[in-house]
Structures are given as structure tokens and as C-alpha cells.
Amino acid sequence: MPQMIDKAGLQVAEPLVRFVEERALAGVGIEPTAFWSGLAALYAKFAPENAALLARRDELQAKIDAWHEARRGQPIDNARYQSFLRELGYLVEEPAPFEVAPQNVDAEVATMAGPQLVVPVLNARFVLNAANARWGSLYDALYGTDAIPGPAAGKGYDPARGAQVIAWSKAFLDEAVPLANGRWADLSNPDSGIALRDPSQYIGQRDGGAVRLFRHNGLHIEVVFDRSHNIGKDDPAGIADIILESALTTIVDLEDSIAAVDAEDKVEAYSNWLGLMRGDLEASFDKGGRTVTRALDADRVYAGPDGREIVLPGRSMLFVRNVGHLMTTPAVSLAGGGEAPEGILDGVITSLVGLHDLKGLGRFRNSRQGSIYIVKPKMHGPEEAAFANRLFDAIEDLLGLERHTLKIGVMDEERRTSANLAATIAAVKDRIVFINTGFLDRTGDEIHTSMRAGPMVRKGEMKSADWIKAYEDRNVQIGLACGLSGKAQIGKGMWAAPDRMADMLEQKVGHPNSGASTAWVPSPTAATLHATHYHRVDVFARQAERKAEAVAPLDKLLTVPVAVGRNFQPEEIREELDNNAQGILGYVVRWVDQGVGCSKVPDIFDVGLMEDRATLRISSQHVANWLLHGVTTADEVDAALDRMAIKVDQQNEGDAAYQPLAGRRDQSLAFQAARALVFEGVEQPNGYTEPLLHAYRAKVKAG
């Protein structure tokens, strides 16, 4: 345990004190004494409120549980159910029509549409890759994935594969930047000029015309001409590459994708965020026997048609995702005793770090409009959003910021939030810049909220449950009704299979078609490929069309996905248990033993999927629900865990740091954590996995 130092009555871990006083406060014009006394006052005011909100969650859940218990075995009468939820205060009155009014919002967030990355802050290399994914090679993205049929032949460059890539890419240009006459495949003499059907699409050039810049649907495209290049030398026009503006925004994540359980972890997370804001974050690694150092990319400078300089950002616009209201941190102890709410600490420290950007203390600028973008997850309804709004007011006062400098992203992933979305948005209407949907966390909360309503349908059937379409539709419809278009992002969830880019290209166009101005992708490569969807769909035109729609009814959203009158067959139960057990073990073993919060984890069919705590929440809650209602037994669950421990061990046999699970139930803390997530799942607050994961990870670190 680190030494704790008294700061204005708070006990603060020594590594955090050093980080704040030596690095985070450097140059921002705030004295350490003033900062610590301000933080202490802020905790004195908001920690009790935070605790009261968590108690309110528990109170609501207990009453919902009792309501379902009293009607065990009966069909749910939706009208009575909604009436009950209104009496509880779970459902609130819809606000009068209003429009959000955030000020000083950067174009990437307000008026542009494109992909969004989410990256774990503790992995500096990944963070830098994501920040630099603002621009990506379409040729590389196509060549190295299954986005087009067939693999490359041999170890070197495969001309046949290259020809496929070039043909696909030039056909894309024909759609996005059509020539006045002919096709891009027929272009042979670009030096004499490139006549476009719409000349206004030409924006400028750099490197003496070797790179030409075009724009379509608000996104930029570079065409690189180089007849000395390995690709360009055989191209009729000398085109060596096509570079797409890709990840417009990136969420630097301190929450679901990392394992941060103590002061040491928190300081590392805050340090990487500071490195991004100051522009000096670097990561070195071995690549083919040589050391490669990665840093942030510079801006891109062009000469416009009139000779004027045009500067475009070289990096994604960065959000930072704080933790929610639930967890506390051992990095700070309150004056009255007990760990401090972690979300409050995140809000203060990530905003303090953001001051370095606002004051121009680094190499680059993140927000050219002077805003700090914070995503706040796991809020339950308007009451908790209003709390976050007041907290952000207080942080602004502590740091000397103008009101609403801190912008908020609201993750519409809890049932009470999606059922009261308009009221939730209204609670933060002057600082909101982002809403999104997330199937997995929303499903986990759906299961836990209705835990005692009956056994849930199988996990795979959730995707076609009545509430899902209503949820996805309402998110866009309510966002548009509240005036988010042109002012804030409306987002959709992750494509979880990073190796299945052909499927992503086919399916994920549905996100911009839904009117969402951004959607999550699992890698920079996926961002470049997903960017093509925003050229094929004019998102803001779709938003204008969808704004006329009526909001999907609440009845559908609140239809509980119970398996009414269904007798699950033994083979169905075994399949479901194996699927869930494999996913739980495969994720938890990395989290608990290695501190890896998000990674590509093979599923039961050996397909690599990006997993984080949201996927764990739904799997563990689903098994807990079936146990509660007698669909399965404790012995069957344990047998599934034992079977899948062997499978997970086999899937990880190439990892030198991996600690086996099979046959080590009493020795493996990871196995014990996985088992606890299921057998203690009903009692976990809102079904969240963090309390148990943190407890077991702390044991591993202590041991």
C-alpha cells in the first residue's frame, strides 16, 4: 500500500500527490494548497449525494423485485407495469419540448459524421495508434483484411491482391469523388489536371501536387501520386495510395476497457491522458527486431486552390471516459473515513489535465474551440445526470473554467436512462455533446432490472427481442427531437469482431443509415473501412428525414424479454451455459491475472471478439437469472465452468504470462472471480461486475 498523505483533511496516496503537484498542476496557474482544499470541499458536498443516488438505485431495484415476486408465474401486464414504474418514480414525466444548447463544440463532434474509436488509456501504444487513426490508408485496410475476397499470396507483395484493392478503391472514388468524364481507373495524366463532376470537392494539395485533397459528405480524401512508389509505378495515373479521413473522434477510456484498481493504476491512466493533452506521449516497442517509437502525428498542411494555407488535424478529437457513480478508489480516503467516489476523482483530475490543452501548454491542440470532452457512463436516469451536471459546475469553479467548458457524453446504456432519455438529456442540455446506444450493457441492465420477472430468453435471442429495436430507434428519434443534429453526436455501438471486416462492411452501414453520426469500431483499420459508409450515406440528410418520425412507443422498450411458457431442452441449456461460461472465463482470466481490461478474446467458436466489462455483465447476469429460476442448477453451472476452463486454457496456450484455469479452482483467483460473478450475480449492484473484479484483481496484485 502506498503512503497516504494528508491534504486538506483527505488522505491521498503519495503517487497521486506527486502526479498532481509535480505534473498536472504545472503551468496551469493553480496552487497545490488551493487545489487540495477545493477538492476536499467538493468531496464534502458531492460524496453524500453520490451515496444517496446509489441508495436510490437499490431502493428502486428492491421494489421492482418485490413487484415481480408478487406476480411470479403470471404474464406481465404492460399497462400496470408502467403505472407501477411511474408511481415508483422510475419513470418520470416527459419534459416540455426543448433543444440542447452546447457552445464551443468542435466540428468533429457537432457537424461531421464518421467513425469513433474507444481505446484503453493504460496501453500507451494503443492510445497513440487510436489518436493517429484520424487518417488511414484504404489500400492497407483492404489488402490486409477479409474486406475483399481471398488472402494475399506469399510473404511479399501480391500483385493480384493489389489489383483487387486498387479496383475496389477506385470504384469507391467513382462514388465519392466522381470525375467529370470517365472513371478513376481510366485516369492516366493527373499532371494536366483532374476534372471533377463537382469542382468544389477539390480542396487543395501538398508536396508539390503529389497529394491531392478532396472532400465528400464533410470527410476528406487524399489521393497520393508517386510514380517511384512500388504501387504507383504500375498505376496508369501513378496513384500510390488513397488515404481516408477516418476516426474523427476517439474515446480515451478510464472505465470498461481497463483494469485500474489502485492508486498506481490510476496515476498511470492520468499520466497517459496528460501525455496526450501535452502531446509528448510516446511508446517504444520491438517490431521485427528493431525498436520503433510511436508519437502523435502532426497536423496536415495543404495549399488551397487560391494558394492559401489549409491546416487539417492530424489526430482524432479526443474524449476521455470517466468511471460511473458506483465505484470508490483507494487512491483517496475521505475526511470522515472510507474510500472516495472514483467518478468524482476522475472528473477533477481529467479536467485538470484538460487545462493543459486549453492553455496551449502542449505541442498540439485537441479542442480548437476550448472544450474538454468527458463521457460519463452508467448513469441511471435524469436524477443522476443532473448530479453530474452539478458536479461539472463545481469542477469548473475549482479550476477557474467558464461554465459549460466541460462537455458531457451520456451513454444511453442503462434501462432507466433509455426509458427517460429526453429528461436525461434535458438535465445536461447546455453541455451535452454525445449520446449512444450499447446493446451489451443495456442487455445486462435489462436482465438485472427484471431479474425476478422470470427466466430470460437465450442470450442470442436478445438481439431480436421487442425492446431492442425500440431502444435503437428511440435513441436517434429522441436525440433529434432534442436538437442534437449539428450540435452533438448521436452514436451507435461497437463492431466486436475485428477480423471480420467483410461482414462489417456489409452490415455496419446500417449505423449511418439509422441517422447516427458516429459508431464504434475496434481498430484503426476498421475505422478506415467504416469511413467509407459515411461517404455512401449522407448522415445529416438521414437525420432530417428521421426527425419527422414519431418516437417509438415506450411499451415496446419496456417489454421484458422473459421466455414465457418455454421449457428449455437439455441441449439448449448446456449450449447456453457453455457459451456464457467460456466468455466469462476467457475475459476474467486476463482481467484478474494480467490486468487487461479489454482485448480480443476468442469466443466458444474461436472467433476473436473485442470483450470488455459490458460483455461480462450480460453473460454473468444471464446465468444468474437461469439459476434463480431453476432453468439450470449450481452443479450444471460448475460443470460448464470446468469444461470451458479446459477450452480457455487451450485458446491461451501461446501466452507466456497466462495462468491455467483447469483443475485449479482452489488456486486460481481468476476462476474464483468468474464463479463469484455468476453465483453472487443477483446481489451485485445493478448486476455490475466491477466490485468483484476489483476485489479479486487487488488480491492478485497484493499476492
Side-chain angles (χ1 to χ4, degrees), residues 33 37 138 145 147 167 174 208 219 231 249 278 310 368 378 403 459 495 509 516 522 526 536 548 605 637 647:
T33 301
S37 62
L138 182 58
T145 69
D174 288 337
L219 294 175
I231 307 300
T249 54
R278 293 192 64 89
I310 298 170
R368 295 173 302 284
K378 294 180 170 61
R403 186 63 75 236
K459 194 169 70 172
W495 178 263
V509 70
R536 294 193 164 121
F605 304 109
V637 172
K647 170 92 173 168

Side-chain angles (χ1 to χ4, degrees), residues 244-267:
L244 302 188
E245 192 172 19
S246 300
L248 294 182
T249 54
T250 288
I251 297 173
V252 180
D253 189 24
L254 277 75
E255 198 235 0
D256 262 3
S257 70
I258 68 167
V261 302
D262 55 25
E264 177 188 48
D265 294 335
K266 294 302 292 187
V267 168

Side-chain angles (χ1 to χ4, degrees), residues 284-526:
S284 296
F285 55 94
D286 180 82
K287 187 174 183 179
R290 62 189 181 93
T291 299
V292 175
T293 298
R294 191 144 292 160
L296 290 170
D297 287 343
D299 290 337
R300 301 164 98 88
V301 181
Y302 308 86
D306 58 0
R308 294 184 183 179
E309 184 177 87
I310 298 170
V311 180
L312 295 180
R315 303 154 309 284
S316 270
M317 173 69 60
L318 302 180
F319 288 71
V320 61
R321 181 160 70 168
N322 292 180
V323 305
H325 298 326
L326 174 65
M327 296 301 292
T328 58
T329 174
V332 178
S333 293
L334 298 174
E339 292 183 356
E342 186 177 3
I344 293 176
L345 184 67
D346 273 1
V348 173
I349 302 297
T350 59
S351 299
L352 171 61
V353 168
L355 268 181
H356 290 255
D357 179 53
L358 301 193
K359 291 180 176 290
L361 300 177
R363 294 174 59 217
F364 307 116
R365 297 305 297 264
N366 183 48
S367 171
R368 295 173 302 284
Q369 295 296 321
S371 291
I372 297 170
Y373 298 98
I374 298 175
V375 176
K376 191 70 180 176
K378 294 180 170 61
M379 293 194 294
H380 291 240
E383 187 180 15
E384 296 194 9
F387 168 77
N389 192 60
R390 295 193 303 276
L391 173 63
F392 281 21
D393 283 350
I395 294 171
E396 287 164 346
D397 293 342
L398 170 62
L399 301 180
L401 296 171
E402 292 185 7
R403 186 63 75 236
H404 304 138
T405 297
L406 303 182
K407 302 301 190 289
I408 195 166
V410 173
M411 299 188 66
D412 177 15
E413 294 184 323
E414 308 302 326
R415 194 171 188 259
R416 187 151 53 115
T417 295
S418 56
N420 300 288
L421 183 57
T424 302
I425 294 171
V428 287
K429 69 181 183 65
D430 294 320
R431 64 171 87 245
I432 191 165
V433 290
F434 165 94
I435 60 172
N436 82 329
T437 58
F439 165 73
L440 291 166
D441 247 329
R442 179 61 176 77
T443 303
D445 198 55
E446 182 73 32
I447 295 171
H448 189 84
T449 301
S450 306
M451 179 64 73
R452 287 173 171 79
M456 296 290 156
V457 299
R458 294 184 67 174
K459 194 169 70 172
E461 296 171 20
M462 286 285 183
K463 295 178 181 179
S464 57
D466 284 346
W467 65 266
I468 285 286
K469 187 175 188 308
Y471 168 56
E472 296 288 355
D473 281 342
R474 283 171 58 88
N475 180 269
V476 175
Q477 293 161 340
I478 292 172
L480 293 175
C482 295
L484 268 68
S485 183
K487 300 175 186 176
Q489 291 179 323
I490 299 176
K492 293 294 178 187
M494 179 66 78
W495 178 263
D499 297 327
R500 295 194 167 185
M501 292 293 97
D503 291 341
M504 189 195 78
L505 277 176
E506 179 183 353
Q507 298 174 37
K508 204 170 172 67
V509 70
H511 283 157
N513 260 325
S514 75
S517 58
T518 195
W520 288 0
V521 286
S523 67
T525 294

Side-chain angles (χ1 to χ4, degrees), residues 4-336:
M4 304 299 284
I5 300 173
D6 187 274
K7 292 292 178 181
L10 300 173
Q11 298 299 308
V12 185
E14 185 266 344
L16 181 57
V17 172
R18 280 195 293 108
F19 171 77
V20 168
E21 296 187 356
E22 296 174 12
R23 300 181 61 199
L25 288 174
V28 301
I30 300 173
E31 291 299 318
T33 301
F35 174 81
W36 294 118
S37 62
L39 179 63
L42 192 147
Y43 265 123
K45 175 177 173 57
F46 288 99
E49 286 190 48
N50 197 105
L53 290 172
L54 298 179
R56 174 65 171 156
R57 292 184 189 179
D58 293 342
E59 175 193 3
L60 289 173
Q61 186 62 56
K63 290 180 177 178
I64 292 170
D65 287 346
W67 194 88
H68 286 305
E69 287 283 6
R71 292 157 182 79
R72 181 182 284 266
Q74 301 176 24
I76 298 173
D77 183 317
N78 209 299
R80 289 187 178 181
Y81 180 49
Q82 285 189 47
S83 177
F84 161 70
L85 293 179
R86 291 189 188 282
E87 291 170 9
L88 269 189
Y90 183 96
L91 291 178
V92 303
E93 292 297 319
E94 286 289 304
F98 70 96
E99 292 219 346
V100 299
Q103 301 297 313
N104 303 316
V105 183
D106 289 273
E108 292 91 335
V109 178
T111 58
M112 299 175 71
Q116 186 169 67
L117 285 166
V118 184
V119 64
V121 69
L122 290 177
N123 191 315
R125 179 181 172 185
F126 287 4
V127 165
L128 289 165
N129 288 346
N132 291 339
R134 178 65 174 259
W135 300 88
S137 165
L138 182 58
Y139 279 9
D140 288 350
L142 292 168
Y143 188 91
T145 69
D146 72 343
I148 53 178
K155 292 185 178 180
Y157 176 68
D158 176 7
R161 177 70 170 178
Q164 284 182 292
V165 168
I166 291 166
W168 197 103
S169 301
K170 289 187 176 181
F172 164 74
L173 287 180
D174 288 337
E175 294 180 30
V177 193
L179 301 176
N181 297 290
R183 302 175 305 147
W184 278 87
D186 302 323
L187 185 68
S188 60
N189 188 17
D191 294 337
S192 62
I194 301 174
L196 302 180
R197 185 180 302 170
D198 179 0
S200 69
Q201 286 191 277
Y202 173 67
I203 304 303
Q205 64 181 37
R206 61 186 176 93
D207 299 338
V211 178
R212 314 284 177 91
L213 182 69
F214 306 94
R215 184 168 56 211
H216 178 246
N217 283 355
L219 294 175
H220 294 92
I221 302 170
E222 285 187 350
V223 180
V224 181
F225 298 88
D226 184 355
R227 294 191 182 276
S228 67
H229 189 274
N230 187 45
I231 307 300
K233 66 182 175 60
D234 296 323
D235 188 88
I239 296 176
D241 206 349
I242 296 168
I243 309 294
L244 302 188
E245 192 172 19
S246 300
L248 294 182
T249 54
T250 288
I251 297 173
V252 180
D253 189 24
L254 277 75
E255 198 235 0
D256 262 3
S257 70
I258 68 167
V261 302
D262 55 25
E264 177 188 48
D265 294 335
K266 294 302 292 187
V267 168
E268 184 180 355
Y270 296 148
S271 294
N272 283 352
W273 177 236
L274 179 62
L276 290 168
M277 291 298 95
R278 293 192 64 89
D280 56 10
L281 183 65
E282 293 186 348
S284 296
F285 55 94
D286 180 82
K287 187 174 183 179
R290 62 189 181 93
T291 299
V292 175
T293 298
R294 191 144 292 160
L296 290 170
D297 287 343
D299 290 337
R300 301 164 98 88
V301 181
Y302 308 86
D306 58 0
R308 294 184 183 179
E309 184 177 87
I310 298 170
V311 180
L312 295 180
R315 303 154 309 284
S316 270
M317 173 69 60
L318 302 180
F319 288 71
V320 61
R321 181 160 70 168
N322 292 180
V323 305
H325 298 326
L326 174 65
M327 296 301 292
T328 58
T329 174
V332 178
S333 293
L334 298 174

